[in-house]
Amino acid sequence: MNVMQPFAWVGAATISQAAAAASGTVAEAMVKHTGAAGPEAVGILKAGGIDLLDLMKENLLAPARLVNLKAIPGLEDIVSEADGGLRIGSMVTLARLGEHPEVRSRYPALADAARGAASPQIRNVATLGGNLLQRPRCWYFRAQEYRCLRKGGEHCFAISGENQYHAIFANRPCAIVHASTAATALVALGAAAELADAHGAVQRLPLEEFFVSSQRDPQRENVLQAGQIMTAIRLPPLPAGTRMAHLKQGERDSFDWPLADVAVVLELADGLCRRAAVILGAAAPVPHRAKAAEQVLLGKAITEQIALQAGQAALEGATPLGKNSYKLPLFEAMVRRARARALARG
Ligand SMILES: Cc1cc2nc3c(=O)[nH]c(=O)nc-3n(C[C@H](O)[C@H](O)[C@H](O)COP(=O)(O)OP(=O)(O)OC[C@H]3O[C@@H](n4cnc5c(N)ncnc54)[C@H](O)[C@@H]3O)c2cc1C
Ligand code: SF4
């Protein structure tokens, strides 16, 4: 039986305090903890704790300190910005995000994604920041006995193993799918992450650049550095005539990560598509932009025939593994359905 290691509790009152106490990233700490170096006296940030405590219970991580973000003022705010965008604090729960009137009316794809993730109980605790920063669900990664590439080992066990829930795009050298459902919608919406450090420096980075492909670095999912706090997600203003939807398909009718999810954002003017974002979730190590599908939609009236072509084009570049080619027709159909849902919203 796994026994959680003792840790100290640090209640941070400010972003600077939290950033100063957070001496490591979860990715670096896990590589050390699961390898020969063993645990080190690292301080790790805690939001809702859903993913973090899971990793600690499975003895994949044993931080010396947990740095609680809950008492820091302002991180739970949702505020309209002067440019017409929306700033969502990183400690806003998925439940609140999914129900927030402005999110539901102006960015319904994000509300769909938040409401479709996990169970009501988990959504009441899980925060947006923690959701975007949760670690992958790959079962080899989550099992102590497999020291795979992402934990500092030499092999990916999934590529030739049990890979039914794994990536169909960009799946070498590691075949995880990005675990966050909110990320699919946020990348489609052109959202940016706001990152702050202990000295008050704030960096704004498009989420698409925040996430890291497995080719670039198979041991981390994002560029967050030790001592950086994700303070907020910023959504840009969207022109009138923008339609959107997010759809999630699970394995069964239960509270689980998706087999596939799709976000579509279409900017329409005079009946034609002026901008299209088609993002596939649970498809690749990062939210996957289906560029060929976007090209099919651009400049056209979005008819069923065009949507059919876009669904097919969304699969361009796919390299399914031994047990996950079922995802190809699934994504093809979901792109079509997401377009229909977005247009039906009128
Ligand atoms: C049964 C079940 C079903 C689920 N289904 C889904 C699903 O369908 N879709 C989905 O997306 N997720 C799903 N989840 C995952 C769940 O949504 C995440 O575990 C949760 O959102 C994590 O948020 P948290 O606030 O608890 O983060 P924590 O566990 O507290 O933190 C997660 C990570 O983020 C870091 N962190 C947190 N906040 C910050 C911050 N502000 N700045 C810097 N670092 C930070 C922590 O150090 C940690 O590494 C499911 C979980 C369960 C148990
Ligand atoms: S897919 Fe990635 S996380 Fe899973 S076994 Fe392979 S290297 Fe490890």
Side-chain angles (χ1 to χ4, degrees):
M1 193 180 77
N2 288 330
V3 180
M4 206 192 275
Q5 302 297 312
F7 55 84
W9 184 255
V10 180
T14 64
I15 289 166
S16 298
Q17 275 178 17
S23 54
T25 64
V26 170
E28 289 159 359
M30 280 183 71
V31 167
K32 286 186 181 142
H33 182 70
T34 57
E40 59 162 11
V42 72
I44 295 290
L45 298 166
K46 179 199 156 286
I50 305 268
D51 192 41
L52 198 54
L53 297 181
D54 212 19
L55 294 171
M56 291 167 67
K57 281 188 255 176
E58 295 301 329
N59 194 24
L60 296 167
L61 183 68
R65 297 180 303 286
L66 284 191
V67 183
N68 190 20
L69 296 170
K70 278 198 176 159
I72 301 177
L75 293 183
E76 294 179 9
D77 294 349
I78 301 182
V79 184
S80 290
E81 303 221 276
D83 68 354
L86 197 66
R87 183 178 183 277
I88 303 171
S90 61
M91 291 294 285
V92 169
T93 62
L94 296 183
R96 198 165 145 238
L97 189 62
E99 296 304 329
H100 193 271
E102 230 174 316
V103 177
R104 289 188 72 165
S105 62
R106 293 172 59 199
Y107 304 98
L110 178 58
D112 291 344
R115 288 148 65 94
S119 66
Q121 290 87 345
I122 292 168
R123 292 196 293 274
N124 278 333
V125 178
T127 65
L128 178 58
N131 183 268
L132 294 170
L133 294 161
Q134 63 178 301
R135 300 234 61 201
R137 300 306 310 170
C138 170
W139 35 36
Y140 298 107
F141 178 77
R142 295 270 164 178
Q144 212 185 336
E145 55 272 35
Y146 291 95
R147 188 153 196 264
C148 72
L149 192 62
R150 193 161 286 271
K151 288 188 288 193
E154 300 200 339
H155 301 292
C156 171
F157 298 98
I159 286 172
S160 58
E162 293 303 318
N163 50 40
Q164 42 273 59
Y165 300 125
H166 287 73
I168 57 167
F169 294 97
N171 46 15
R172 304 287 195 290
C174 157
I176 59 153
V177 293
H178 200 277
S180 167
T181 309
T184 312
L186 287 169
V187 169
L189 288 165
E194 190 180 278
L195 310 173
D197 70 14
H199 310 293
V202 177
Q203 184 190 3
R204 283 190 198 124
L205 200 58
L207 262 190
E208 208 163 2
E209 292 170 30
F210 178 72
F211 296 124
V212 170
S213 71
S214 87
Q215 287 100 326
R216 186 168 149 202
D217 187 342
Q219 290 178 357
R220 57 191 306 163
E221 296 82 62
N222 54 66
V223 297
L224 191 83
Q225 303 291 319
Q228 268 188 326
I229 313 282
M230 182 184 279
T231 47
I233 291 295
R234 300 165 73 102
L235 289 165
L238 297 173
T242 303
R243 310 285 172 81
M244 64 182 80
H246 173 274
L247 293 181
K248 168 183 170 178
Q249 181 64 53
E251 186 162 32
R252 48 188 188 269
D253 216 6
S254 69
F255 305 121
D256 221 340
W257 285 264
L259 292 176
D261 65 300
V262 171
V264 166
V265 177
L266 304 169
E267 191 185 315
L268 304 176
D270 304 324
L272 301 180
C273 178
R274 302 292 180 202
R275 190 181 82 87
V278 179
I279 306 296
L280 312 185
V286 299
H288 176 76
R289 183 175 290 280
K291 287 186 184 150
E294 294 176 352
Q295 283 306 317
V296 168
L297 298 167
L298 270 180
K300 316 258 180 41
I302 311 292
T303 60
E304 272 188 38
Q305 185 57 32
I306 290 295
L308 191 71
Q309 288 173 25
Q312 289 160 353
L315 306 178
E316 195 175 296
T319 52
L321 302 167
K323 299 188 178 180
N324 68 6
S325 47
Y326 71 90
K327 287 195 179 191
L328 299 175
L330 187 55
F331 274 117
E332 190 182 332
M334 286 179 75
V335 169
R336 290 203 317 270
R337 282 173 44 214
R339 159 268 177 202
R341 174 136 199 228
L343 294 191
R345 274 198 163 121

